[in-house]
Amino acid sequence: MIHRRQLTKIFSVLKIFFENRDILICFIFLFGGFSIIYLSYFSGIGQYGMGFAFFLGAVIYLCLKKFKINFIEFKEGLYSYRKRKLLLLNILFFTCISLSNIILYNSLYFRPAAYFVLITIGFSTIFIEIFLIKGSYFNWLIIGKILLLSLMFRASRFFTFPIIPGYDTQFHISVAKYIINTGYVPGYDIALKYTSTPLWHIFEAQSGIILATNFQTLLFYTVAAPFIIILSLFLFILVKETYHEKVGLISVILLNLANMIFVRGVTSIYTCSLVHCFFIIMLYSLIKEKKEPFPFITLVVIYAMILTHQLTTFFVFLIFIGLLLGRYFFALYNVNPLKYSTVKSGATNISLNTILLFFVSLITQWSFTGLSGDNLSFFDKVTYRLVHTLTRMYIEYTSQSDVLATSYGNYFSQYSILSNLLYSAGNSILTAFAVIGLLLIISNKNKFTVSFSYICATAILFTFIYIFTYFGLDQVFIPHRVLSFYELFLVIFASYSIYVIYTALNKAKWQQIMFILVFTSFIFLMLTTPFINRNDPLYCSDRDYRTELTLSELSAIGWSSTFQNNEVLYVDPLINRLQVSNVEILNVSDANLQSFQYNLNTENPNSNILVRNYFLDNQNFILCSTFGISEEYSFNKYVDSVINYDNLIYSVNSARIYVKT
């Protein structure tokens, strides 16, 4: 048995650990950052941005700690009303909006660099304005301006082409259209595993019937806009209640800049987007309410998530486990070794009963989801995939001494260090700010109590997304699909650090100006992230390719379908059959499309071949699939043969059709 004296010594050691917890975790980030940089260079995992973010974030925190910079409580009168500055900032803001709209009006299928600069300036003016106003009325005006600018930027990307962006989106649209046309949820042969999770599809089908508009407009007004509005409003309230209203306003800016949030709400809209809304609402209820929400309401929200998307809901379940563990761990930290009493963290009101309810509901639904001809449920398939992956990992580890390569690692290793840094530069800066904020929160006892649950949930997500991916489990969890949840917590921590740093520089105006310039550069890098701007990347243009079609290209497909008796039309791999079938402005839904063949002799004589001008400039490219598996394409010889030896039968602005001779 452990004697009382030994127990006291153990708690004394734990006390020393927790009193210096920020320094210990800071060195963990330093070591982790160095390790990631090392693995990026020698193992080719390509995560240079994250490595530098961890390392520099920890270094900056040590500098802040040296100068004793920490959270400064906002005091009335610290910033007075500055009407002239506010007037100038608002004039600049609305001027940027006007000029950006003029640029968009005169641009076709492309947004020039000037457009991104104007949007960047618009967000920067809002950031400065946050520290010039006071009062809840002005807070909501600021949020309104953020959402206005954000929705304009999102609309500029979403409506650039007549095709809705996102491959996954096209599949889910086809399911929703089936429900509209038949009045029934399709079976496994059409909807696959989503036949048991049709909530999003039913919602879109009902909205389509009521609004009677095309699906591109429908998705923007029923998903893209409500998605970012709901997340912004609830996040502001959460951060405001936890930290400060200024921190809440900054978090709304960061949320609207976050690139993976942009992906889930604009460039890859699907059922996961609705789960985010359910998640933020339930998180708010668990933190805001003094008691745990009524069990019936909790059950309804949980089951609504389960009926929307299986894998995403599983990660929400993991987040709630993290929130609960954070509460228990902090209670242990506050144990008095003599009295054996605990102190509740006050972070969340989530209980073990909620977790058990969630787990039982999840497993029950999974057991009946996705039953098909092979008589395997979704749960069976996930279990099989996990066992198969673990077996493969064991064989590879025991048969070779090299580090286990993953598909994501193979993809990033194909590019240079500079390319990998630029590709995720904005997200890397966000991570660095988050590391600083996390360490500042940990060092602050007042804020540490309500944030430990957030930290534990973030740690669990980081483990599944990055560490498990490094060890080869990316084929099981599809980690990039839950990066948006991870980014949501990064936004919370980063907004805290930005507020602390900016208020600490209040006495030195030139330092504040320098910080504003740094923050403005960060905004620009977030807005210009290549994978959210595939049609107009300002850098790393060799890594992402335009997946939408212009009106001229669609016209060529429509001509072939109408006047060539719906003969097979061979197209480049960037054109997706499902995308074309969902185009509503032209009758191309019945187009018979097939991808180019590497072997020139495999195509039948008199076959029609579509050659786009865009493809002529991008004949060699690398495409990355859902699981991060990359595939290289090279069609130089093929295209040269078509252009030089086949007959041109149709030509339009940006596309031509040849017939094979």
Side-chain angles (χ1 to χ4, degrees):
M1 294 181 63
I2 300 177
H3 296 289
R4 189 181 186 88
R5 183 177 299 176
Q6 292 175 321
L7 190 62
T8 304
K9 288 182 179 180
I10 293 174
F11 278 103
S12 298
V13 173
L14 290 175
K15 183 177 181 181
I16 295 173
F17 164 77
F18 279 103
E19 286 177 351
N20 299 278
R21 58 190 178 272
D22 58 326
I23 299 298
L24 178 63
I25 296 178
C26 184
F27 279 102
I28 291 176
F29 276 117
L30 287 171
F31 176 76
F34 178 79
S35 300
I36 293 172
I37 295 172
Y38 176 86
L39 291 172
S40 296
Y41 185 78
F42 289 101
S43 299
I45 65 173
Q47 297 297 319
Y48 294 98
M50 180 185 296
F52 283 114
F54 280 9
F55 189 85
L56 294 177
V59 170
I60 294 173
Y61 170 75
L62 291 175
C63 296
L64 295 176
K65 186 175 181 66
K66 180 179 179 181
F67 293 103
K68 298 181 179 179
I69 295 176
N70 211 317
F71 187 85
I72 301 175
E73 284 292 343
F74 185 84
K75 297 180 181 179
E76 204 69 33
L78 179 61
Y79 299 99
S80 58
Y81 285 105
R82 300 169 185 177
K83 294 182 180 180
R84 184 175 298 178
K85 290 184 179 180
L86 285 172
L87 179 61
L88 290 174
L89 287 172
N90 279 276
I91 291 174
L92 183 58
F93 173 80
F94 287 105
T95 300
C96 288
I97 286 181
S98 302
L99 291 177
S100 64
N101 284 330
I102 293 173
I103 290 175
L104 278 181
Y105 183 78
N106 292 280
S107 301
L108 183 64
Y109 305 130
F110 182 81
R111 294 169 299 174
Y115 174 80
F116 293 97
V117 171
L118 290 171
I119 298 298
T120 299
I121 296 173
F123 276 112
S124 297
T125 61
I126 297 174
F127 174 74
I128 299 172
E129 189 176 350
I130 288 175
F131 296 93
L132 297 175
I133 55 95
K134 58 182 179 180
S136 59
Y137 172 76
F138 289 101
N139 290 341
W140 294 112
L141 286 179
I142 291 290
I143 293 175
K145 291 173 64 177
I146 295 172
L147 291 175
L148 172 64
L149 191 58
S150 176
L151 289 173
M152 287 179 54
F153 181 70
R154 281 164 159 74
S156 71
R157 174 67 181 90
F158 193 78
F159 292 105
T160 300
F161 292 89
I163 280 186
I164 301 170
Y167 283 136
D168 289 338
T169 308
Q170 309 301 327
F171 168 77
H172 293 288
I173 289 175
S174 65
V175 176
K177 284 185 174 180
Y178 182 93
I179 297 175
I180 292 176
N181 295 330
T182 66
Y184 297 98
V185 175
Y188 187 87
D189 56 330
I190 296 177
L192 303 179
K193 58 182 176 292
Y194 294 100
T195 187
S196 300
T197 55
L199 192 60
W200 185 89
H201 310 94
I202 294 173
F203 170 72
E204 286 305 313
Q206 291 177 334
S207 300
I209 295 172
I210 295 172
L211 298 178
T213 184
N214 64 79
F215 254 88
Q216 190 166 24
T217 304
L218 179 70
L219 280 181
F220 188 81
Y221 287 109
T222 61
V223 181
F227 171 80
I228 194 61
I229 291 173
I230 291 173
L231 289 184
S232 297
L233 295 179
F234 278 95
L235 182 67
F236 168 71
I237 298 172
L238 280 172
V239 178
K240 174 187 173 184
E241 295 291 331
T242 307
Y243 303 109
H244 192 275
E245 59 183 13
K246 303 294 183 185
V247 182
L249 292 174
I250 296 172
S251 70
V252 176
I253 292 181
L254 298 184
L255 179 74
N256 284 267
L257 295 173
N259 43 43
M260 290 310 300
I261 298 294
F262 189 93
V263 169
R264 285 294 156 258
V266 178
T267 60
S268 185
I269 294 175
Y270 67 108
T271 55
C272 175
S273 306
L274 186 58
V275 176
H276 284 72
C277 297
F278 289 137
F279 164 73
I280 197 71
I281 293 172
M282 189 168 180
L283 182 63
Y284 166 79
S285 66
L286 291 171
I287 292 177
K288 178 69 176 176
E289 299 296 329
K290 295 181 179 180
K291 296 181 179 180
E292 189 174 13
F294 188 61
F296 176 74
I297 298 177
T298 304
L299 179 61
V300 169
V301 176
I302 288 175
Y303 207 69
M305 286 190 285
I306 295 173
L307 287 176
T308 305
H309 195 263
Q310 301 97 335
L311 195 59
T312 308
T313 305
F314 170 71
F315 278 93
V316 172
F317 171 69
L318 292 179
I319 292 172
F320 286 154
I321 289 179
L323 296 174
L324 182 63
L325 289 177
R327 181 176 183 176
Y328 287 157
F329 286 159
F330 189 76
L332 289 174
Y333 159 61
N334 283 283
V335 168
N336 185 323
L338 299 180
K339 297 183 179 179
Y340 297 95
S341 62
T342 60
V343 180
K344 293 184 179 180
S345 67
T348 64
N349 292 301
I350 191 170
S351 69
L352 185 60
N353 292 335
T354 305
I355 297 297
L356 292 175
L357 176 65
F358 205 151
F359 178 76
V360 172
S361 302
L362 194 65
I363 295 300
T364 301
Q365 177 65 13
W366 279 18
S367 299
F368 296 97
T369 297
L371 288 173
S372 58
D374 55 11
N375 203 31
L376 292 177
S377 68
F378 179 79
F379 179 77
D380 296 329
K381 292 176 181 178
V382 170
T383 304
Y384 170 78
R385 199 162 66 191
L386 177 61
V387 173
H388 176 74
T389 303
L390 291 175
T391 304
R392 175 183 59 83
M393 289 170 58
Y394 174 77
I395 295 173
E396 292 185 7
Y397 269 121
T398 54
S399 62
Q400 61 185 30
S401 58
D402 297 335
V403 177
L404 182 66
T406 67
S407 53
Y408 289 97
N410 292 332
Y411 172 74
F412 285 109
S413 64
Q414 299 177 73
Y415 300 99
S416 65
I417 296 176
L418 179 60
S419 177
N420 283 323
L421 281 172
L422 284 175
Y423 192 68
S424 59
N427 198 60
S428 299
I429 298 175
L430 176 67
T431 303
F433 277 129
V435 169
I436 299 170
L438 186 148
L439 292 170
L440 286 169
I441 289 170
I442 288 176
S443 64
N444 189 318
K445 293 182 179 180
N446 294 329
K447 302 303 174 186
F448 179 69
T449 56
V450 296
S451 305
F452 201 86
S453 292
Y454 291 159
I455 295 172
C456 286
T458 307
I460 289 178
L461 288 177
F462 178 83
T463 301
F464 273 83
I465 294 171
Y466 292 104
I467 298 179
F468 281 12
T469 295
Y470 175 73
F471 287 108
L473 288 174
D474 49 301
Q475 301 294 309
V476 178
F477 300 109
I478 319 180
H480 70 270
R481 291 197 170 184
V482 292
L483 274 170
S484 47
F485 289 101
Y486 175 71
E487 209 168 47
L488 190 64
F489 288 103
L490 292 186
V491 162
I492 295 175
F493 299 135
S495 59
Y496 183 86
S497 69
I498 290 171
Y499 174 82
V500 169
I501 295 172
Y502 191 83
T503 52
L505 301 175
N506 183 45
K507 295 181 180 179
K509 297 301 179 184
W510 68 271
Q511 292 179 352
Q512 281 191 333
I513 293 174
M514 291 298 296
F515 184 80
I516 290 173
L517 292 176
V518 171
F519 189 75
T520 301
S521 302
F522 160 66
I523 293 174
F524 181 78
L525 289 171
M526 289 295 283
L527 292 174
T528 57
T529 301
F531 59 79
I532 67 172
N533 302 291
R534 295 177 182 271
N535 57 312
D536 41 27
L538 300 183
Y539 48 89
C540 296
S541 57
D542 60 325
R543 300 185 63 151
D544 285 296
Y545 305 92
R546 173 162 65 82
T547 54
E548 292 86 13
L549 300 178
T550 65
L551 192 59
S552 297
E553 293 165 349
L554 287 171
S555 298
I557 296 175
W559 180 87
S560 177
S561 177
T562 304
F563 296 100
Q564 296 295 303
N565 298 320
N566 204 25
E567 292 286 339
V568 173
L569 178 64
Y570 289 94
V571 297
D572 56 80
L574 294 174
I575 298 179
N576 182 274
R577 170 69 181 83
L578 202 55
Q579 276 188 312
V580 176
S581 67
N582 285 319
V583 174
E584 295 174 307
I585 61 173
L586 289 173
N587 184 24
V588 293
S589 59
D590 296 328
N592 190 1
L593 306 180
Q594 291 186 24
S595 292
F596 288 158
Q597 305 296 314
Y598 280 106
N599 187 346
L600 298 177
N601 298 321
T602 58
E603 292 164 356
N604 297 322
N606 303 320
S607 296
N608 294 333
I609 303 167
L610 173 68
V611 178
R612 301 184 295 150
N613 292 347
Y614 177 80
F615 184 72
L616 290 176
D617 299 328
N618 299 274
Q619 297 179 37
N620 303 311
F621 53 90
I622 301 174
L623 292 182
C624 191
S625 69
T626 297
F627 291 95
I629 301 173
S630 57
E631 186 173 356
E632 296 186 39
Y633 293 90
S634 179
F635 290 98
N636 292 25
K637 293 182 180 180
Y638 180 90
V639 174
D640 289 342
S641 174
V642 170
I643 294 176
N644 294 324
Y645 299 105
D646 295 338
N647 295 326
L648 177 66
I649 60 173
Y650 180 82
S651 178
V652 71
N653 293 333
S654 58
R656 286 168 280 176
I657 295 180
Y658 294 84
V659 61
K660 187 173 180 60
T661 56

